[in-house]
Amino acid sequence: MLSRQHDPIIAIATAPGRGAVGIVRVSGKDLSPLVRAWLGRDLRAREATYLSFPDAQGMPIDQGLALYFPAPHSFTGEDVLELQAHGGPVVLQLLVARCLALSQEDAASAGTSVLPRLRLAQPGEFTERAFLNDKIDLAQAEAIADLIDASTEAAARSATASLSGAFSKQVHGLLEALVRLRMLVEATLDFPEEEIDFLQRADAQGQLSRLQAALQALQQQATQGALLREGIQVVIAGQPNAGKSSLLNALAGAELAIVTPIAGTTRDKVEQTIQIDGVPVHVVDTAGLRESADEVEKIGIERAWGAIEGADAVLFLHDLTRCARAEYAQADLQIAALLAQKIGHQVPVIDIWNKADAVTDGPAPEGGIRLSAKTGSGLDALRAALLHAAGWQASSGSLFMARERHVQALRQVDAHLMEAAAHLSQNAQALDLLAEELRLAQNALNEITGAFSSDDLLGVIFSSFCIGK
């Protein structure tokens, strides 16, 4: 895509389907000849003009608004033409087809100078051009896609904060401090006889410590922002008839899964995304875990274990009405052992003691959460436990949106700064290694905003955008 970044491009910028208004967007260098050839007039910059959009015979395809944004004062940094017409897919496709055909006609037949030769835009190419033309950085570009895909209000507000530059501003602040420290360290390499005193007078250790503290704060915010974007994958597991489907329905507030007294009713995964305090939670109900000769049920159980292995948290459901039975308790112990074997201790397992409404006596189980999926008691405690397991921390301040790649990049920075601190403690013996670790830390930070990014990374990021954005 990068090799074709100077081609004028066109695409429908609104979602597929019928709508009251649809938008066709064009971006490229000097689009004014195309505007005059098609619309028969010049357009005033950033001012909506109502007119007809004619076909090749001069008959109107539609009537609507045209807006012209001359470079560099546009979203992409190039000339941008936006046509707002009625939102029927055929109308919008006709506008695109006419614009493409007109751009390919001979300049003499069009009666004007050579027209820019348009092509259809690739996914995310308008935003990519905004990034390449320094209108936004890479973190802001990703925030555009995150804002479009936001599944909760909190996620949308956080994506807006990232788009406005909240995340980038903090990254740039770290970069400035890191560059100052790098300049200090590398300057000492030119004066080896004075390097120790020079670093001490400049408080290099203090600068590095403050940099690490600021990084830790940013890591915490980025982790929270990534939770808002990605959400958490929660799997409900347990023996048949423990109430897994009832719990899914209770959390979702809707009858999503079939609930019957018959063991083995759930044969496949049932998934639903809910939100808890603005955090998306992807809940998966699974088949009951047991030995079975039924081929269909065996497939469902295999899929249940597959879902468990990919979970961020597991809700291990126990039936309080049966947990005193030796056979049932032994089966629960076997499942617990399998859970520990398959997911280890990295994935939190929350014990849920269900059907509390049906048990009024007997000792309360130790640990876990006692609830009733039928009455809803205990659900608030479960929601709080899920957020705690995910590492979510409620904050009164505004969060910015972040991605897993941002979190990983910050972890790399943290690792390099820890190495740098170790080398700094060795004074003159490791200053070259200290300088190298600081350089690597800067490169990792630059990957977040795109100041240091490979073409392959850009291709992966922008290919996930919708066409026309």
Side-chain angles (χ1 to χ4, degrees):
M1 188 187 297
L2 292 175
S3 62
R4 307 173 66 193
Q5 65 184 10
H6 299 297
D7 297 344
I9 53 175
I10 184 171
I12 298 172
T14 40
R18 299 167 58 193
V21 177
I23 297 174
V24 172
R25 176 179 289 163
V26 187
S27 180
K29 182 179 179 181
D30 192 12
L31 297 181
S32 53
L34 176 65
V35 172
R36 286 191 296 269
W38 187 17
L39 305 179
R41 57 179 294 178
D42 288 321
L43 297 176
R44 299 184 64 175
R46 295 173 297 281
E47 183 176 298
T49 303
Y50 180 75
L51 39 66
S52 294
F53 308 130
D55 62 14
Q57 288 72 44
M59 299 298 293
I61 298 172
D62 196 5
Q63 293 179 323
L65 298 177
L67 294 99
Y68 184 53
F69 303 89
H73 305 295
S74 69
F75 172 65
T76 64
E78 304 173 328
D79 283 3
V80 171
L81 173 66
E82 288 194 355
L83 307 175
Q84 299 183 10
H86 292 95
V90 173
V91 172
L92 299 178
Q93 290 164 8
L94 286 173
L95 293 177
V96 171
R98 177 56 189 151
C99 208
L100 285 170
L102 186 62
S103 73
Q104 297 171 17
E105 291 178 1
D106 182 79
S109 64
T112 184
S113 59
V114 177
L115 303 180
R117 193 175 182 87
L118 294 175
R119 64 170 173 82
L120 291 172
Q122 299 296 315
E125 195 166 2
F126 290 97
T127 306
E128 182 186 41
R129 293 195 175 191
F131 164 70
L132 294 173
N133 292 325
D134 295 324
K135 304 297 289 187
I136 53 176
D137 63 31
L138 193 54
Q140 290 174 295
E142 291 170 303
I144 294 173
D146 294 337
L147 181 58
I148 294 171
D149 295 336
S151 58
T152 68
E153 179 182 348
R157 291 185 181 277
S158 297
T160 300
S162 285
L163 180 56
S164 67
F167 185 23
S168 302
K169 182 178 180 180
Q170 294 199 49
V171 171
H172 287 304
L174 281 177
L175 277 169
E176 290 174 3
L178 183 53
V179 168
R180 285 196 299 270
L181 184 56
R182 279 194 66 194
M183 291 173 61
L184 173 65
V185 171
E186 294 186 11
T188 63
L189 297 176
D190 296 329
F191 303 96
E193 68 280 359
E194 300 180 6
E195 56 192 10
I196 298 177
D197 291 339
F198 186 61
L199 289 177
Q200 289 177 346
R201 288 197 303 271
D203 190 24
Q205 182 63 62
Q207 289 188 45
L208 181 55
S209 297
R210 289 189 291 274
L211 187 57
Q212 289 179 292
L215 175 63
Q216 289 177 2
L218 183 57
Q219 280 184 287
Q220 176 63 35
Q221 287 182 285
T223 300
Q224 301 295 291
L227 274 176
L228 284 178
R229 181 183 185 274
E230 308 289 347
I232 56 175
Q233 191 80 6
V234 176
V235 174
I236 306 175
Q239 295 187 55
N241 270 3
K244 298 183 297 299
S245 297
S246 297
L247 180 57
L248 172 66
N249 292 343
L251 286 170
E255 296 297 319
L256 301 175
I258 298 173
V259 178
T260 74
I262 303 172
T265 299
T266 301
R267 299 295 187 94
D268 203 351
K269 297 184 297 182
V270 180
E271 303 182 30
Q272 178 66 23
T273 297
I274 63 174
Q275 59 171 301
I276 304 176
D277 288 353
V279 179
V281 180
H282 313 293
V283 186
V284 183
D285 176 24
T286 59
L289 302 176
R290 66 174 177 178
E291 294 291 333
S292 176
D294 186 295
E295 288 299 321
V296 176
E297 187 177 4
K298 286 171 66 176
I299 294 173
I301 294 170
E302 289 176 4
R303 292 183 177 180
W305 282 114
I308 288 169
E309 291 174 1
D312 296 316
V314 174
L315 302 182
F316 185 8
L317 222 61
H318 310 273
D319 184 346
L320 276 173
T321 65
R322 293 185 288 165
C323 64
R325 303 176 190 174
E327 181 180 356
Y328 184 87
Q330 182 61 33
D332 263 4
L333 289 174
Q334 292 174 352
I335 293 173
L338 284 172
L339 284 172
Q341 177 184 337
K342 289 181 178 293
I343 62 178
H345 300 289
Q346 300 301 316
V347 177
V349 176
I350 303 173
D351 288 298
I352 305 297
W353 303 94
N354 190 28
K355 304 184 183 180
D357 59 296
V359 178
T360 57
D361 55 2
E366 294 184 5
I369 297 171
R370 188 183 180 108
L371 61 74
S372 168
K374 181 178 181 180
T375 66
S377 66
L379 287 181
D380 286 343
L382 173 56
R383 294 185 183 102
L386 281 174
L387 292 181
H388 177 74
W392 176 256
Q393 297 180 0
S395 172
S396 58
S398 60
L399 286 174
F400 52 75
M401 185 68 78
R403 296 188 172 199
E404 184 59 28
R405 81 167 190 92
H406 302 149
V407 175
Q408 293 299 328
L410 291 173
R411 287 174 182 166
Q412 291 180 32
V413 177
D414 190 29
H416 290 306
L417 291 185
M418 289 179 65
E419 288 292 325
H423 295 317
L424 182 58
S425 66
Q426 299 176 33
N427 296 322
Q429 287 73 34
L431 282 187
D432 53 344
L433 297 176
L434 168 61
E436 176 63 10
E437 291 297 339
L438 294 178
R439 184 188 69 83
L440 293 173
Q442 183 179 350
N443 285 347
L445 266 181
N446 279 330
E447 287 182 0
I448 295 176
T449 57
F452 178 78
S453 298
S454 68
D455 288 354
D456 289 340
L457 173 62
L458 297 182
V460 169
I461 289 174
F462 289 109
S463 64
S464 65
F465 281 52
C466 53
I467 293 176
K469 193 59 195 168

